[in-house]
PDB file of all heavy atoms in Angstrom:
ATOM      1  N   TYR A1133      67.811 149.885  71.365  1.00  0.00           N
ATOM      2  CA  TYR A1133      68.026 150.568  72.638  1.00  0.00           C
ATOM      3  C   TYR A1133      69.481 150.434  73.075  1.00  0.00           C
ATOM      4  O   TYR A1133      70.147 149.454  72.745  1.00  0.00           O
ATOM      5  CB  TYR A1133      67.151 149.938  73.744  1.00  0.00           C
ATOM      6  CG  TYR A1133      65.732 149.676  73.339  1.00  0.00           C
ATOM      7  CD1 TYR A1133      65.388 148.479  72.716  1.00  0.00           C
ATOM      8  CD2 TYR A1133      64.726 150.604  73.582  1.00  0.00           C
ATOM      9  CE1 TYR A1133      64.081 148.220  72.319  1.00  0.00           C
ATOM     10  CE2 TYR A1133      63.405 150.353  73.200  1.00  0.00           C
ATOM     11  CZ  TYR A1133      63.101 149.164  72.562  1.00  0.00           C
ATOM     12  OH  TYR A1133      61.800 148.913  72.186  1.00  0.00           O
ATOM     13  N   TRP A1134      69.921 151.413  73.840  1.00  0.00           N
ATOM     14  CA  TRP A1134      71.169 151.298  74.573  1.00  0.00           C
ATOM     15  C   TRP A1134      70.892 151.517  76.055  1.00  0.00           C
ATOM     16  O   TRP A1134      70.135 152.429  76.428  1.00  0.00           O
ATOM     17  CB  TRP A1134      72.216 152.312  74.105  1.00  0.00           C
ATOM     18  CG  TRP A1134      72.854 151.957  72.801  1.00  0.00           C
ATOM     19  CD1 TRP A1134      72.565 152.454  71.569  1.00  0.00           C
ATOM     20  CD2 TRP A1134      73.911 151.016  72.599  1.00  0.00           C
ATOM     21  NE1 TRP A1134      73.362 151.892  70.615  1.00  0.00           N
ATOM     22  CE2 TRP A1134      74.208 151.008  71.213  1.00  0.00           C
ATOM     23  CE3 TRP A1134      74.666 150.194  73.448  1.00  0.00           C
ATOM     24  CZ2 TRP A1134      75.202 150.197  70.664  1.00  0.00           C
ATOM     25  CZ3 TRP A1134      75.648 149.389  72.896  1.00  0.00           C
ATOM     26  CH2 TRP A1134      75.911 149.393  71.523  1.00  0.00           C
ATOM     27  N   TYR A1135      71.523 150.667  76.863  1.00  0.00           N
ATOM     28  CA  TYR A1135      71.476 150.774  78.315  1.00  0.00           C
ATOM     29  C   TYR A1135      72.914 150.729  78.821  1.00  0.00           C
ATOM     30  O   TYR A1135      73.807 150.238  78.136  1.00  0.00           O
ATOM     31  CB  TYR A1135      70.714 149.592  78.934  1.00  0.00           C
ATOM     32  CG  TYR A1135      69.227 149.560  78.656  1.00  0.00           C
ATOM     33  CD1 TYR A1135      68.733 149.057  77.459  1.00  0.00           C
ATOM     34  CD2 TYR A1135      68.316 149.998  79.612  1.00  0.00           C
ATOM     35  CE1 TYR A1135      67.358 149.017  77.207  1.00  0.00           C
ATOM     36  CE2 TYR A1135      66.943 149.950  79.376  1.00  0.00           C
ATOM     37  CZ  TYR A1135      66.487 149.458  78.171  1.00  0.00           C
ATOM     38  OH  TYR A1135      65.124 149.408  77.938  1.00  0.00           O
ATOM     39  N   ARG A1136      73.102 151.217  80.026  1.00  0.00           N
ATOM     40  CA  ARG A1136      74.420 151.047  80.641  1.00  0.00           C
ATOM     41  C   ARG A1136      74.258 150.522  82.066  1.00  0.00           C
ATOM     42  O   ARG A1136      73.209 150.691  82.698  1.00  0.00           O
ATOM     43  CB  ARG A1136      75.219 152.341  80.652  1.00  0.00           C
ATOM     44  CG  ARG A1136      74.860 153.279  81.773  1.00  0.00           C
ATOM     45  CD  ARG A1136      75.822 154.424  81.898  1.00  0.00           C
ATOM     46  NE  ARG A1136      75.469 155.219  83.083  1.00  0.00           N
ATOM     47  CZ  ARG A1136      75.951 156.415  83.342  1.00  0.00           C
ATOM     48  NH1 ARG A1136      76.830 156.973  82.506  1.00  0.00           N
ATOM     49  NH2 ARG A1136      75.588 157.053  84.430  1.00  0.00           N
ATOM     50  N   GLN A1137      75.308 149.863  82.535  1.00  0.00           N
ATOM     51  CA  GLN A1137      75.306 149.307  83.885  1.00  0.00           C
ATOM     52  C   GLN A1137      76.666 149.571  84.506  1.00  0.00           C
ATOM     53  O   GLN A1137      77.664 148.943  84.122  1.00  0.00           O
ATOM     54  CB  GLN A1137      75.000 147.806  83.853  1.00  0.00           C
ATOM     55  CG  GLN A1137      74.872 147.183  85.232  1.00  0.00           C
ATOM     56  CD  GLN A1137      74.546 145.695  85.155  1.00  0.00           C
ATOM     57  OE1 GLN A1137      74.968 144.993  84.240  1.00  0.00           O
ATOM     58  NE2 GLN A1137      73.793 145.200  86.118  1.00  0.00           N
ATOM     59  N   ILE A1138      76.702 150.505  85.411  1.00  0.00           N
ATOM     60  CA  ILE A1138      77.928 150.743  86.179  1.00  0.00           C
ATOM     61  C   ILE A1138      78.117 149.549  87.119  1.00  0.00           C
ATOM     62  O   ILE A1138      77.143 148.993  87.628  1.00  0.00           O
ATOM     63  CB  ILE A1138      77.832 152.069  86.947  1.00  0.00           C
ATOM     64  CG1 ILE A1138      77.768 153.229  85.940  1.00  0.00           C
ATOM     65  CG2 ILE A1138      78.997 152.254  87.895  1.00  0.00           C
ATOM     66  CD1 ILE A1138      77.461 154.569  86.542  1.00  0.00           C
ATOM     67  N   LEU A1139      79.372 149.183  87.335  1.00  0.00           N
ATOM     68  CA  LEU A1139      79.695 147.973  88.086  1.00  0.00           C
ATOM     69  C   LEU A1139      78.921 147.877  89.393  1.00  0.00           C
ATOM     70  O   LEU A1139      78.968 148.796  90.231  1.00  0.00           O
ATOM     71  CB  LEU A1139      81.200 147.937  88.358  1.00  0.00           C
ATOM     72  CG  LEU A1139      81.726 146.671  89.013  1.00  0.00           C
ATOM     73  CD1 LEU A1139      81.544 145.468  88.087  1.00  0.00           C
ATOM     74  CD2 LEU A1139      83.193 146.828  89.388  1.00  0.00           C
ATOM     75  N   GLY A1140      78.189 146.776  89.554  1.00  0.00           N
ATOM     76  CA  GLY A1140      77.466 146.528  90.801  1.00  0.00           C
ATOM     77  C   GLY A1140      76.152 147.260  90.936  1.00  0.00           C
ATOM     78  O   GLY A1140      75.486 147.147  91.961  1.00  0.00           O
ATOM     79  N   GLN A1141      75.767 148.005  89.895  1.00  0.00           N
ATOM     80  CA  GLN A1141      74.527 148.786  89.973  1.00  0.00           C
ATOM     81  C   GLN A1141      73.491 148.252  88.988  1.00  0.00           C
ATOM     82  O   GLN A1141      73.723 147.285  88.281  1.00  0.00           O
ATOM     83  CB  GLN A1141      74.831 150.263  89.717  1.00  0.00           C
ATOM     84  CG  GLN A1141      75.771 150.866  90.753  1.00  0.00           C
ATOM     85  CD  GLN A1141      75.964 152.358  90.564  1.00  0.00           C
ATOM     86  OE1 GLN A1141      75.131 153.031  89.950  1.00  0.00           O
ATOM     87  NE2 GLN A1141      77.053 152.889  91.103  1.00  0.00           N
ATOM     88  N   LYS A1142      72.342 148.905  88.970  1.00  0.00           N
ATOM     89  CA  LYS A1142      71.278 148.418  88.103  1.00  0.00           C
ATOM     90  C   LYS A1142      71.482 148.896  86.670  1.00  0.00           C
ATOM     91  O   LYS A1142      72.297 149.776  86.392  1.00  0.00           O
ATOM     92  CB  LYS A1142      69.919 148.865  88.616  1.00  0.00           C
ATOM     93  CG  LYS A1142      69.686 150.366  88.573  1.00  0.00           C
ATOM     94  CD  LYS A1142      68.290 150.671  89.060  1.00  0.00           C
ATOM     95  CE  LYS A1142      68.024 152.158  89.090  1.00  0.00           C
ATOM     96  NZ  LYS A1142      66.645 152.452  89.571  1.00  0.00           N
ATOM     97  N   VAL A1143      70.749 148.293  85.777  1.00  0.00           N
ATOM     98  CA  VAL A1143      70.794 148.652  84.370  1.00  0.00           C
ATOM     99  C   VAL A1143      69.984 149.941  84.170  1.00  0.00           C
ATOM    100  O   VAL A1143      68.848 150.051  84.640  1.00  0.00           O
ATOM    101  CB  VAL A1143      70.204 147.507  83.521  1.00  0.00           C
ATOM    102  CG1 VAL A1143      70.212 147.860  82.057  1.00  0.00           C
ATOM    103  CG2 VAL A1143      70.976 146.210  83.767  1.00  0.00           C
ATOM    104  N   GLU A1144      70.581 150.902  83.458  1.00  0.00           N
ATOM    105  CA  GLU A1144      69.937 152.207  83.265  1.00  0.00           C
ATOM    106  C   GLU A1144      69.704 152.467  81.784  1.00  0.00           C
ATOM    107  O   GLU A1144      70.601 152.282  80.953  1.00  0.00           O
ATOM    108  CB  GLU A1144      70.816 153.334  83.800  1.00  0.00           C
ATOM    109  CG  GLU A1144      71.127 153.249  85.283  1.00  0.00           C
ATOM    110  CD  GLU A1144      72.116 154.338  85.673  1.00  0.00           C
ATOM    111  OE1 GLU A1144      73.297 154.242  85.299  1.00  0.00           O
ATOM    112  OE2 GLU A1144      71.688 155.302  86.349  1.00  0.00           O
ATOM    113  N   PHE A1145      68.537 152.948  81.458  1.00  0.00           N
ATOM    114  CA  PHE A1145      68.178 153.280  80.080  1.00  0.00           C
ATOM    115  C   PHE A1145      68.958 154.506  79.602  1.00  0.00           C
ATOM    116  O   PHE A1145      69.097 155.495  80.326  1.00  0.00           O
ATOM    117  CB  PHE A1145      66.679 153.554  80.022  1.00  0.00           C
ATOM    118  CG  PHE A1145      66.176 154.123  78.725  1.00  0.00           C
ATOM    119  CD1 PHE A1145      65.947 153.288  77.644  1.00  0.00           C
ATOM    120  CD2 PHE A1145      65.947 155.475  78.596  1.00  0.00           C
ATOM    121  CE1 PHE A1145      65.470 153.807  76.448  1.00  0.00           C
ATOM    122  CE2 PHE A1145      65.472 156.003  77.409  1.00  0.00           C
ATOM    123  CZ  PHE A1145      65.229 155.167  76.337  1.00  0.00           C
ATOM    124  N   LEU A1146      69.445 154.419  78.378  1.00  0.00           N
ATOM    125  CA  LEU A1146      70.096 155.582  77.754  1.00  0.00           C
ATOM    126  C   LEU A1146      69.212 156.172  76.647  1.00  0.00           C
ATOM    127  O   LEU A1146      68.894 157.359  76.661  1.00  0.00           O
ATOM    128  CB  LEU A1146      71.442 155.193  77.148  1.00  0.00           C
ATOM    129  CG  LEU A1146      72.560 154.816  78.110  1.00  0.00           C
ATOM    130  CD1 LEU A1146      73.805 154.396  77.328  1.00  0.00           C
ATOM    131  CD2 LEU A1146      72.886 155.960  79.041  1.00  0.00           C
ATOM    132  N   VAL A1147      68.856 155.328  75.679  1.00  0.00           N
ATOM    133  CA  VAL A1147      68.201 155.858  74.486  1.00  0.00           C
ATOM    134  C   VAL A1147      67.444 154.756  73.761  1.00  0.00           C
ATOM    135  O   VAL A1147      67.811 153.578  73.836  1.00  0.00           O
ATOM    136  CB  VAL A1147      69.261 156.500  73.554  1.00  0.00           C
ATOM    137  CG1 VAL A1147      70.204 155.436  73.009  1.00  0.00           C
ATOM    138  CG2 VAL A1147      68.643 157.316  72.440  1.00  0.00           C
ATOM    139  N   SER A1148      66.364 155.146  73.081  1.00  0.00           N
ATOM    140  CA  SER A1148      65.675 154.234  72.173  1.00  0.00           C
ATOM    141  C   SER A1148      65.648 154.859  70.783  1.00  0.00           C
ATOM    142  O   SER A1148      65.688 156.090  70.632  1.00  0.00           O
ATOM    143  CB  SER A1148      64.260 153.929  72.662  1.00  0.00           C
ATOM    144  OG  SER A1148      63.485 155.116  72.736  1.00  0.00           O
ATOM    145  N   PHE A1149      65.553 154.011  69.776  1.00  0.00           N
ATOM    146  CA  PHE A1149      65.761 154.453  68.386  1.00  0.00           C
ATOM    147  C   PHE A1149      64.810 153.682  67.508  1.00  0.00           C
ATOM    148  O   PHE A1149      64.703 152.455  67.602  1.00  0.00           O
ATOM    149  CB  PHE A1149      67.212 154.153  68.015  1.00  0.00           C
ATOM    150  CG  PHE A1149      67.691 154.733  66.724  1.00  0.00           C
ATOM    151  CD1 PHE A1149      68.186 156.021  66.656  1.00  0.00           C
ATOM    152  CD2 PHE A1149      67.696 153.971  65.562  1.00  0.00           C
ATOM    153  CE1 PHE A1149      68.669 156.555  65.471  1.00  0.00           C
ATOM    154  CE2 PHE A1149      68.177 154.495  64.368  1.00  0.00           C
ATOM    155  CZ  PHE A1149      68.678 155.785  64.325  1.00  0.00           C
ATOM    156  N   TYR A1150      64.108 154.421  66.655  1.00  0.00           N
ATOM    157  CA  TYR A1150      63.168 153.776  65.732  1.00  0.00           C
ATOM    158  C   TYR A1150      63.074 154.602  64.466  1.00  0.00           C
ATOM    159  O   TYR A1150      63.045 155.842  64.522  1.00  0.00           O
ATOM    160  CB  TYR A1150      61.789 153.648  66.390  1.00  0.00           C
ATOM    161  CG  TYR A1150      60.689 153.241  65.424  1.00  0.00           C
ATOM    162  CD1 TYR A1150      60.663 151.944  64.908  1.00  0.00           C
ATOM    163  CD2 TYR A1150      59.712 154.135  65.010  1.00  0.00           C
ATOM    164  CE1 TYR A1150      59.678 151.558  64.008  1.00  0.00           C
ATOM    165  CE2 TYR A1150      58.724 153.759  64.114  1.00  0.00           C
ATOM    166  CZ  TYR A1150      58.704 152.478  63.621  1.00  0.00           C
ATOM    167  OH  TYR A1150      57.729 152.091  62.738  1.00  0.00           O
ATOM    168  N   ASN A1151      63.040 153.929  63.347  1.00  0.00           N
ATOM    169  CA  ASN A1151      62.848 154.611  62.061  1.00  0.00           C
ATOM    170  C   ASN A1151      63.880 155.715  61.860  1.00  0.00           C
ATOM    171  O   ASN A1151      63.555 156.827  61.426  1.00  0.00           O
ATOM    172  CB  ASN A1151      61.423 155.176  62.000  1.00  0.00           C
ATOM    173  CG  ASN A1151      60.976 155.452  60.586  1.00  0.00           C
ATOM    174  OD1 ASN A1151      61.444 154.834  59.634  1.00  0.00           O
ATOM    175  ND2 ASN A1151      60.074 156.396  60.440  1.00  0.00           N
ATOM    176  N   ASN A1152      65.115 155.392  62.235  1.00  0.00           N
ATOM    177  CA  ASN A1152      66.259 156.283  62.028  1.00  0.00           C
ATOM    178  C   ASN A1152      66.223 157.567  62.835  1.00  0.00           C
ATOM    179  O   ASN A1152      66.869 158.549  62.453  1.00  0.00           O
ATOM    180  CB  ASN A1152      66.440 156.617  60.543  1.00  0.00           C
ATOM    181  CG  ASN A1152      67.136 155.502  59.795  1.00  0.00           C
ATOM    182  OD1 ASN A1152      68.080 154.897  60.320  1.00  0.00           O
ATOM    183  ND2 ASN A1152      66.670 155.209  58.603  1.00  0.00           N
ATOM    184  N   GLU A1153      65.497 157.531  63.941  1.00  0.00           N
ATOM    185  CA  GLU A1153      65.588 158.679  64.820  1.00  0.00           C
ATOM    186  C   GLU A1153      65.389 158.267  66.281  1.00  0.00           C
ATOM    187  O   GLU A1153      64.799 157.224  66.554  1.00  0.00           O
ATOM    188  CB  GLU A1153      64.596 159.766  64.416  1.00  0.00           C
ATOM    189  CG  GLU A1153      63.154 159.353  64.427  1.00  0.00           C
ATOM    190  CD  GLU A1153      62.256 160.474  63.933  1.00  0.00           C
ATOM    191  OE1 GLU A1153      62.693 161.290  63.103  1.00  0.00           O
ATOM    192  OE2 GLU A1153      61.114 160.537  64.401  1.00  0.00           O
ATOM    193  N   ILE A1154      65.898 159.106  67.168  1.00  0.00           N
ATOM    194  CA  ILE A1154      65.744 158.854  68.591  1.00  0.00           C
ATOM    195  C   ILE A1154      64.284 159.051  68.976  1.00  0.00           C
ATOM    196  O   ILE A1154      63.673 160.072  68.648  1.00  0.00           O
ATOM    197  CB  ILE A1154      66.649 159.791  69.401  1.00  0.00           C
ATOM    198  CG1 ILE A1154      68.128 159.417  69.182  1.00  0.00           C
ATOM    199  CG2 ILE A1154      66.309 159.746  70.873  1.00  0.00           C
ATOM    200  CD1 ILE A1154      69.115 160.397  69.799  1.00  0.00           C
ATOM    201  N   SER A1155      63.721 158.054  69.672  1.00  0.00           N
ATOM    202  CA  SER A1155      62.338 158.198  70.114  1.00  0.00           C
ATOM    203  C   SER A1155      62.246 158.585  71.587  1.00  0.00           C
ATOM    204  O   SER A1155      61.263 159.195  72.005  1.00  0.00           O
ATOM    205  CB  SER A1155      61.540 156.925  69.849  1.00  0.00           C
ATOM    206  OG  SER A1155      62.204 155.787  70.357  1.00  0.00           O
ATOM    207  N   GLU A1156      63.262 158.269  72.345  1.00  0.00           N
ATOM    208  CA  GLU A1156      63.284 158.646  73.748  1.00  0.00           C
ATOM    209  C   GLU A1156      64.721 158.600  74.252  1.00  0.00           C
ATOM    210  O   GLU A1156      65.502 157.769  73.791  1.00  0.00           O
ATOM    211  CB  GLU A1156      62.423 157.687  74.578  1.00  0.00           C
ATOM    212  CG  GLU A1156      62.202 158.103  76.013  1.00  0.00           C
ATOM    213  CD  GLU A1156      61.357 157.093  76.786  1.00  0.00           C
ATOM    214  OE1 GLU A1156      60.943 156.079  76.208  1.00  0.00           O
ATOM    215  OE2 GLU A1156      61.141 157.326  77.988  1.00  0.00           O
ATOM    216  N   LYS A1157      65.066 159.480  75.157  1.00  0.00           N
ATOM    217  CA  LYS A1157      66.398 159.427  75.764  1.00  0.00           C
ATOM    218  C   LYS A1157      66.316 159.851  77.222  1.00  0.00           C
ATOM    219  O   LYS A1157      65.407 160.570  77.624  1.00  0.00           O
ATOM    220  CB  LYS A1157      67.388 160.312  75.007  1.00  0.00           C
ATOM    221  CG  LYS A1157      67.027 161.782  74.978  1.00  0.00           C
ATOM    222  CD  LYS A1157      68.049 162.565  74.156  1.00  0.00           C
ATOM    223  CE  LYS A1157      67.679 164.049  74.146  1.00  0.00           C
ATOM    224  NZ  LYS A1157      68.682 164.841  73.363  1.00  0.00           N
ATOM    225  N   SER A1158      67.290 159.378  77.991  1.00  0.00           N
ATOM    226  CA  SER A1158      67.319 159.714  79.413  1.00  0.00           C
ATOM    227  C   SER A1158      68.224 160.927  79.630  1.00  0.00           C
ATOM    228  O   SER A1158      68.929 161.382  78.718  1.00  0.00           O
ATOM    229  CB  SER A1158      67.833 158.527  80.221  1.00  0.00           C
ATOM    230  OG  SER A1158      69.229 158.357  80.017  1.00  0.00           O
ATOM    231  N   GLU A1159      68.246 161.384  80.866  1.00  0.00           N
ATOM    232  CA  GLU A1159      69.092 162.538  81.204  1.00  0.00           C
ATOM    233  C   GLU A1159      70.575 162.186  81.131  1.00  0.00           C
ATOM    234  O   GLU A1159      71.424 163.072  81.035  1.00  0.00           O
ATOM    235  CB  GLU A1159      68.722 163.063  82.596  1.00  0.00           C
ATOM    236  CG  GLU A1159      68.848 162.054  83.717  1.00  0.00           C
ATOM    237  CD  GLU A1159      67.629 161.163  83.861  1.00  0.00           C
ATOM    238  OE1 GLU A1159      66.712 161.232  83.004  1.00  0.00           O
ATOM    239  OE2 GLU A1159      67.596 160.384  84.830  1.00  0.00           O
ATOM    240  N   ILE A1160      70.885 160.891  81.162  1.00  0.00           N
ATOM    241  CA  ILE A1160      72.287 160.463  81.033  1.00  0.00           C
ATOM    242  C   ILE A1160      72.775 160.739  79.610  1.00  0.00           C
ATOM    243  O   ILE A1160      73.943 161.068  79.382  1.00  0.00           O
ATOM    244  CB  ILE A1160      72.421 158.954  81.336  1.00  0.00           C
ATOM    245  CG1 ILE A1160      71.908 158.628  82.740  1.00  0.00           C
ATOM    246  CG2 ILE A1160      73.855 158.491  81.151  1.00  0.00           C
ATOM    247  CD1 ILE A1160      71.778 157.138  82.998  1.00  0.00           C
ATOM    248  N   PHE A1161      71.902 160.603  78.659  1.00  0.00           N
ATOM    249  CA  PHE A1161      72.245 160.708  77.234  1.00  0.00           C
ATOM    250  C   PHE A1161      72.374 162.175  76.863  1.00  0.00           C
ATOM    251  O   PHE A1161      71.442 162.778  76.304  1.00  0.00           O
ATOM    252  CB  PHE A1161      71.177 160.000  76.404  1.00  0.00           C
ATOM    253  CG  PHE A1161      71.561 159.757  74.973  1.00  0.00           C
ATOM    254  CD1 PHE A1161      72.235 158.595  74.617  1.00  0.00           C
ATOM    255  CD2 PHE A1161      71.237 160.668  73.971  1.00  0.00           C
ATOM    256  CE1 PHE A1161      72.582 158.355  73.293  1.00  0.00           C
ATOM    257  CE2 PHE A1161      71.583 160.434  72.652  1.00  0.00           C
ATOM    258  CZ  PHE A1161      72.258 159.277  72.309  1.00  0.00           C
ATOM    259  N   ASP A1162      73.532 162.762  77.193  1.00  0.00           N
ATOM    260  CA  ASP A1162      73.734 164.182  76.908  1.00  0.00           C
ATOM    261  C   ASP A1162      74.406 164.362  75.542  1.00  0.00           C
ATOM    262  O   ASP A1162      74.479 163.429  74.743  1.00  0.00           O
ATOM    263  CB  ASP A1162      74.536 164.828  78.036  1.00  0.00           C
ATOM    264  CG  ASP A1162      75.930 164.222  78.197  1.00  0.00           C
ATOM    265  OD1 ASP A1162      76.444 163.625  77.236  1.00  0.00           O
ATOM    266  OD2 ASP A1162      76.497 164.345  79.292  1.00  0.00           O
ATOM    267  N   ASP A1163      74.892 165.562  75.295  1.00  0.00           N
ATOM    268  CA  ASP A1163      75.429 165.890  73.971  1.00  0.00           C
ATOM    269  C   ASP A1163      76.690 165.103  73.617  1.00  0.00           C
ATOM    270  O   ASP A1163      77.121 165.119  72.455  1.00  0.00           O
ATOM    271  CB  ASP A1163      75.742 167.386  73.899  1.00  0.00           C
ATOM    272  CG  ASP A1163      74.488 168.234  73.933  1.00  0.00           C
ATOM    273  OD1 ASP A1163      73.403 167.657  73.693  1.00  0.00           O
ATOM    274  OD2 ASP A1163      74.583 169.438  74.212  1.00  0.00           O
ATOM    275  N   GLN A1164      77.300 164.463  74.590  1.00  0.00           N
ATOM    276  CA  GLN A1164      78.476 163.646  74.310  1.00  0.00           C
ATOM    277  C   GLN A1164      78.118 162.323  73.624  1.00  0.00           C
ATOM    278  O   GLN A1164      78.982 161.654  73.069  1.00  0.00           O
ATOM    279  CB  GLN A1164      79.227 163.329  75.616  1.00  0.00           C
ATOM    280  CG  GLN A1164      79.787 164.549  76.316  1.00  0.00           C
ATOM    281  CD  GLN A1164      80.845 165.248  75.487  1.00  0.00           C
ATOM    282  OE1 GLN A1164      81.667 164.605  74.828  1.00  0.00           O
ATOM    283  NE2 GLN A1164      80.830 166.561  75.482  1.00  0.00           N
ATOM    284  N   PHE A1165      76.857 161.957  73.703  1.00  0.00           N
ATOM    285  CA  PHE A1165      76.407 160.675  73.169  1.00  0.00           C
ATOM    286  C   PHE A1165      75.672 160.884  71.843  1.00  0.00           C
ATOM    287  O   PHE A1165      74.964 161.876  71.655  1.00  0.00           O
ATOM    288  CB  PHE A1165      75.439 159.988  74.144  1.00  0.00           C
ATOM    289  CG  PHE A1165      76.073 159.502  75.422  1.00  0.00           C
ATOM    290  CD1 PHE A1165      76.191 160.337  76.522  1.00  0.00           C
ATOM    291  CD2 PHE A1165      76.534 158.199  75.524  1.00  0.00           C
ATOM    292  CE1 PHE A1165      76.766 159.886  77.711  1.00  0.00           C
ATOM    293  CE2 PHE A1165      77.096 157.730  76.706  1.00  0.00           C
ATOM    294  CZ  PHE A1165      77.217 158.574  77.801  1.00  0.00           C
ATOM    295  N   SER A1166      75.807 159.920  70.961  1.00  0.00           N
ATOM    296  CA  SER A1166      74.992 159.901  69.750  1.00  0.00           C
ATOM    297  C   SER A1166      74.791 158.454  69.331  1.00  0.00           C
ATOM    298  O   SER A1166      75.583 157.574  69.689  1.00  0.00           O
ATOM    299  CB  SER A1166      75.635 160.708  68.619  1.00  0.00           C
ATOM    300  OG  SER A1166      76.886 160.161  68.258  1.00  0.00           O
TER     301      SER A1166
END
Side-chain angles (χ1 to χ4, degrees):
Chain A
Y1133 315 87
W1134 284 100
Y1135 291 82
R1136 81 170 185 193
Q1137 185 179 33
I1138 295 171
L1139 186 65
Q1141 298 185 22
K1142 66 178 178 180
V1143 179
E1144 299 174 289
F1145 171 80
L1146 291 177
V1147 66
S1148 61
F1149 190 86
Y1150 169 71
N1151 200 26
N1152 280 320
E1153 59 183 30
I1154 291 173
S1155 51
E1156 189 181 0
K1157 61 182 180 179
S1158 72
E1159 58 276 7
I1160 302 169
F1161 193 89
D1162 62 22
D1163 292 343
Q1164 296 296 321
F1165 291 87
S1166 62

